[in-house]
Amino acid sequence: MSETALTGPVDWTSENAVGRRRSRHAANRRLQFYGIAAISTAIGLLGLLITTLVIGGYPAFLQTKITLDFPIKAEYVDAADPAAGNYRNVVRDALLQIAPEATTPPQQRMLGQLLTNNTQFFVRDAVVANPSVIGGTLTLTVPAADPIDQLNKGLIDRTLPENQRRVNDVQLGFYDRLVEAGQVSAPFNWALFFNSDSRFPELAGLAGAITGSFYALLICFLISFPVGIAAAIYLEEFAPRNRWTYLIEVNINNLAAVPSIVFGLLGLAVFIQLFGIPRSAPLAGGMVLALMTLPTMIIVTRNALKAVPPSIREGALGVGASKHQVIMHHVLPLSLPGILTGTIIGLAQALGETAPLLLVGMNAFITSPPGGFLEASTALPTQIFIWADSPERGFTSRTSAGILVLLGFLIVMNGIAIFLRQRLERRW
Amino acid sequence: MAQAALAPRDAAPAVFQTVRTPDLHPRPTKVKADTVKVFYGQKQALHGVTIDIPEKAVTAFIGPSGCGKSTFLRCLNRMNDTIDGCRVEGEILLDNRDIYDPSLDVVELRARVGMVFQKPNPFPKSIFENVAYGPRIHGLARSKAELEEIVVASLQKASLFNEVKDRLHEPGTGLSGGQQQRLCIARTIAVSPDVILMDEPCSALDPIATAKVEELIDELRKNFTIVIVTHSMQQAARVSQRTAFFHLGTLVEEGPTDHVFTNPSERRTQDYITGRFG
Ligand SMILES: Nc1ncnc2c1ncn2[C@@H]1O[C@H](COP(=O)(O)OP(=O)(O)OP(=O)(O)O)[C@@H](O)[C@H]1O
Ligand SMILES: [Mg+2]
């Protein structure tokens, strides 16, 4: 206001002014540097994580297999009832072809340990499927046992003293003979995706876990999507702004921050003990995940609704639309991309959630995919947890592989979310 | 210095009197407001506004920013209902019927009293859908052909049809600002309202688009009662038949536009239209 506040012409070139500008520029650069350093650290750590996982996990994507000729002698397998044959002897005979000198039971046992424990069942199933081979020879490729798998992948050091490695010298000899005969191969391990859990790492796969996760996520989506949207619409569009709605709002925000294991405890107490939903069922897991996802769903939906410009609502109200019509015809369709993106990200979060599933028992040992929502099952993260806990070497790489598969799903889901956001987002 | 004579902002004048000059040939009254007071929470924005708005004419609301023009305009179609903590007192009659009467359906009221906003706000749908929306939700068309007829007629009345007839199914948001505003006007008249409220409809438009909208307003007054808020004295003078000058939440003066602009009875009106404050 007054003239005295002005000090006359400013000398922008004075030492003082130049110094001040220089320190301001330096501050800018510092801030930028901190940012870049932080991001580089984060990316570096992520890269390290992925590299470790890939190095640890890639062996699990290949499976050592051994191709053998199985003589299906009529004395062991009766053509009238092929399922009941003595396949243990069939396998033994097949193995004896590569090591005819193995006549003592200990030698034969070592020979048998080359192949997966379930070889006799593979042979049986093949014979049952094609009984015409009875009396002839069946050529079959079966998974090698875990130690041979490790050996073939170079994970067992042959130079170690015999008592320090899991493959003894006799077995090494057998193995070398098989390699020489070209009977050892290492194709892509489809079993990782099509088998369920097993006690034997060479047979264990993620099919059960993937199915279980799918069912649980479906339940989670079916509950949290409609409930979340309805709650968000009410809170955003209808609820009066008073102490009660404020309280509800604060609680929803707090709920989003509650440790997931608490939801697991709630699920155990309410869904399983009170409602009597079977333990380990994807239904129970999905309901717990829904509880956990619900606050996130409500928050993202509310934000998406808020992002619809008021001018659109006013325009609709101005031509006489009712509140219901404004929401259904304008606000909801316009916020759908945001809601969908949030939903996918919420589901991705739920997919990776482990603790609550452990509490409802989705970490059981289950060897076949669940046939429905009420059958016991595992889920991807709990399967990883189980494998991480298993002592066999083969499970170590499968743990990493399982994590890679989980990350793959998460990346795909987030990719879909980004795609949807880019495709459907509207600019005002 | 010129402001010293005026009451300080936000101080509610204890007693005030609106200076009214009647028309030479009075028109029938469409909307009658009686001592309308509006509160936003604790804050009073309107201190009792009484005005008769004549039928089939353009009434302009002018006044400095924050004086309550929009607030009063939004009372006329109860748009203030959507604002939390907004309370309206007094009486507003549309065709002698109290619009705040609980028995009156606000959806019907807003169909009869349409509104055009400051910023063009077409729905992010096609041009056709924008105009068809109102008739559709009010069930004004019995068939698809009839709906198309309404849309075309509305676009024609809004002098937009010739510009968009080849792209009725392209998004309305793809039009220019002036076209969008005329689309919003078409959307409003598609439900055949009695009254059209316009809150600074040209403030986001360039002079050419403004001229078109002004022409349109002049055309529309044959069939509709129009209330327009504007910051442009020239616009008020050009398009309106009556002008109401608001100041600090009160209606200072209202009368025939010629009279208010050439020979205002109130000192404050005089100061405002000559640009001495505002
Ligand atoms: N939603 C609201 N909540 C609280 N106060 C409001 C609200 N809308 C308007 N007001 C207040 O009411 C008074 C009148 O506002 P209004 O928008 O009616 O002014 P106006 O005459 O339209 O001004 P302008 O010419 O700038 O649009 C102002 O003091 C404003 O701060
Ligand atoms: Mg305004």
Side-chain angles (χ1 to χ4, degrees):
Chain A
M1 283 282 128
S2 65
E3 301 279 317
T4 51
L6 291 173
T7 49
V10 177
D11 180 9
W12 293 108
T13 55
S14 76
E15 210 170 293
N16 232 331
V18 171
R20 237 188 337 265
R21 280 206 296 279
R22 195 179 303 125
S23 80
R24 272 154 60 186
H25 288 308
N28 271 358
R29 276 194 298 275
R30 265 201 310 281
L31 191 60
Q32 234 179 54
F33 170 76
Y34 294 149
I36 291 172
I39 290 175
S40 316
T41 314
I43 291 181
L45 288 176
L46 187 68
L48 192 66
L49 172 76
I50 304 271
T51 316
T52 330
L53 283 174
V54 170
I55 290 174
Y58 91 90
F61 287 99
L62 300 177
Q63 172 64 45
T64 306
K65 295 206 168 177
I66 295 173
T67 309
L68 283 179
D69 292 329
F70 295 90
I72 313 294
K73 291 183 193 144
E75 61 181 286
Y76 296 140
V77 184
D78 180 3
D81 184 12
N86 184 349
Y87 289 99
R88 188 186 286 265
N89 288 355
V90 172
V91 173
R92 188 198 57 204
D93 286 358
L95 285 165
L96 282 175
Q97 291 173 346
I98 48 165
E101 78 277 16
T103 44
T104 64
Q107 278 177 318
Q108 288 187 355
R109 202 175 318 119
M110 282 188 234
L111 196 52
Q113 282 167 355
L114 294 178
L115 303 180
T116 175
N117 221 47
N118 284 9
T119 304
Q120 45 177 321
F121 304 121
F122 284 107
V123 178
R124 180 194 65 196
D125 293 345
V127 172
V128 171
N130 179 17
S132 66
V133 295
I134 295 172
T137 323
L138 171 75
T139 306
L140 200 63
T141 304
V142 294
D146 184 42
I148 301 300
D149 185 39
Q150 305 287 325
L151 177 70
N152 189 47
K153 286 168 180 167
L155 299 172
I156 288 180
D157 185 359
R158 328 172 55 121
T159 59
L160 281 176
E162 186 179 16
N163 60 3
Q164 287 180 26
R165 59 179 137 80
R166 292 168 63 213
V167 183
N168 60 31
D169 290 342
V170 181
Q171 288 171 323
L172 267 184
F174 294 154
Y175 166 76
D176 289 340
R177 259 184 257 174
L178 281 170
V179 173
E180 224 157 281
Q183 284 170 287
V184 179
S185 58
F188 186 78
N189 185 13
W190 289 108
L192 187 63
F193 299 97
F194 294 117
N195 283 7
S196 287
D197 201 8
S198 164
R199 267 186 309 129
F200 310 108
E202 68 271 17
L203 296 178
L206 292 166
I210 292 174
T211 320
S213 270
F214 173 77
Y215 282 142
L217 277 192
L218 193 64
I219 294 285
C220 169
F221 172 77
L222 289 178
I223 296 174
S224 64
F225 188 71
V227 175
I229 289 186
I233 287 182
Y234 175 75
L235 287 174
E236 199 54 43
E237 307 282 340
F238 289 99
R241 299 264 176 276
N242 61 26
R243 205 177 317 157
W244 292 111
T245 46
Y246 178 71
L247 199 69
I248 291 174
E249 203 164 310
V250 169
N251 273 307
I252 288 173
N253 291 338
N254 283 340
L255 227 49
V258 166
S260 55
I261 196 157
V262 176
F263 289 106
L265 282 170
L266 180 74
L268 181 64
V270 176
F271 299 150
I272 293 181
Q273 281 162 12
L274 198 65
F275 294 178
I277 295 173
R279 256 183 90 85
S280 308
L283 180 63
M287 285 165 79
V288 170
L289 292 179
L291 283 185
M292 216 198 69
T293 318
L294 202 51
T296 318
M297 284 291 307
I298 295 176
I299 292 170
V300 295
T301 307
R302 288 189 68 175
N303 287 340
L305 294 175
K306 265 195 206 120
V308 175
S311 64
I312 296 292
R313 293 164 208 266
E314 287 188 333
L317 286 173
V319 292
S322 66
K323 202 157 190 171
H324 167 260
Q325 288 169 326
V326 173
I327 294 168
M328 285 308 184
H329 297 167
H330 301 279
V331 177
L332 207 52
L334 290 177
S335 51
L336 210 55
I339 297 176
L340 287 182
T341 312
T343 305
I344 294 173
I345 288 172
L347 288 181
Q349 237 173 40
L351 175 62
E353 202 51 68
T354 323
L357 298 185
L358 295 180
L359 283 180
V360 296
M362 285 191 79
N363 57 338
F365 174 69
I366 290 148
T367 54
S368 63
F373 294 105
L374 290 172
E375 280 182 26
S377 161
T378 56
L380 265 177
T382 45
Q383 187 67 66
I384 291 166
F385 179 80
I386 299 170
W387 284 352
D389 234 15
S390 304
E392 285 88 347
R393 279 298 303 272
F395 282 122
T396 317
S397 62
R398 273 178 165 70
T399 305
S400 298
I403 294 173
L404 284 176
V405 171
L406 179 61
L407 284 179
F409 277 110
L410 294 180
I411 289 171
V412 167
M413 289 173 81
N414 284 312
I416 293 174
I418 291 170
F419 174 78
L420 276 180
R421 184 154 47 198
Q422 304 233 323
R423 274 298 298 278
L424 301 176
E425 196 182 41
R426 220 174 265 283
R427 279 172 234 293
W428 308 101
Chain B
M1 279 302 120
Q3 296 190 21
L6 298 165
R9 285 185 87 86
D10 286 343
V15 184
F16 68 90
Q17 200 67 51
T18 304
V19 182
R20 297 171 200 281
T21 318
D23 276 335
L24 231 45
H25 310 288
R27 286 170 242 254
T29 299
K30 185 75 183 174
V31 181
K32 197 175 175 63
D34 191 7
T35 14
V36 173
K37 297 179 182 169
V38 179
F39 302 83
Y40 291 112
Q42 296 299 312
K43 186 170 172 282
Q44 187 168 4
L46 282 184
H47 301 274
V49 172
T50 302
I51 188 173
D52 289 354
I53 292 169
E55 194 174 59
K56 304 215 165 136
V58 179
T59 304
F61 290 174
I62 60 170
S65 198
C67 65
K69 306 178 297 289
S70 301
T71 300
F72 182 63
L73 195 72
R74 292 164 60 91
C75 289
L76 302 181
N77 69 345
R78 288 181 56 180
M79 212 59 161
N80 284 336
D81 289 11
T82 61
I83 297 174
D84 272 328
C86 180
R87 200 171 86 245
V88 179
E89 282 176 13
E91 193 181 52
I92 300 174
L93 304 179
L94 171 67
D95 289 334
N96 289 319
R97 203 162 149 217
D98 184 0
I99 65 165
Y100 280 87
D101 188 49
S103 72
L104 184 127
D105 189 351
V106 68
V107 166
E108 181 209 321
L109 172 73
R110 295 206 187 114
R112 293 182 54 197
V113 183
M115 189 158 197
V116 176
F117 299 84
Q118 180 167 359
K119 235 182 94 214
N121 59 348
F123 302 133
K125 302 178 188 238
S126 73
I127 295 171
F128 183 91
E129 284 302 318
N130 262 282
V131 184
Y133 184 67
R136 197 173 273 153
I137 59 172
H138 295 294
L140 300 185
R142 260 158 294 146
S143 65
K144 219 174 154 236
E146 213 173 84
L147 186 65
E148 268 165 33
E149 217 171 282
I150 294 178
V151 170
V152 170
S154 307
L155 284 170
Q156 273 164 346
K157 274 193 227 161
S159 6
L160 186 63
F161 185 69
N162 287 335
E163 288 160 68
V164 301
K165 60 171 179 266
D166 300 326
R167 43 174 173 156
L168 286 180
H169 296 284
E170 282 170 36
T173 40
L175 297 173
S176 76
Q179 290 173 327
Q180 287 190 15
Q181 195 62 299
R182 278 180 284 145
L183 177 61
C184 292
I185 293 174
R187 178 177 76 187
T188 305
I189 57 188
V191 289
S192 320
D194 299 335
V195 182
I196 302 177
L197 310 175
M198 300 187 174
D199 194 349
E200 302 180 40
C202 299
S203 64
L205 307 185
D206 67 56
I208 295 173
T210 302
K212 281 210 166 147
V213 172
E214 284 180 9
E215 230 172 83
L216 172 61
I217 292 171
D218 206 44
E219 187 65 31
L220 290 175
R221 94 179 134 93
K222 290 183 197 139
N223 299 310
F224 303 96
T225 301
I226 295 174
V227 185
I228 179 171
V229 171
T230 177
H231 276 284
S232 155
M233 297 305 113
Q234 293 86 341
Q235 184 168 67
R238 278 194 299 262
V239 302
S240 71
Q241 284 70 54
R242 285 187 72 82
T243 296
F245 171 63
F246 286 76
H247 187 233
L248 298 179
T250 63
L251 177 57
V252 174
E253 172 162 7
E254 57 119 351
T257 299
D258 304 342
H259 175 82
V260 172
F261 276 94
T262 53
N263 184 21
S265 317
E266 254 281 332
R267 164 85 187 286
R268 281 179 288 173
T269 318
Q270 169 91 39
D271 286 347
Y272 180 69
I273 60 181
T274 54
R276 245 174 289 169
F277 74 88

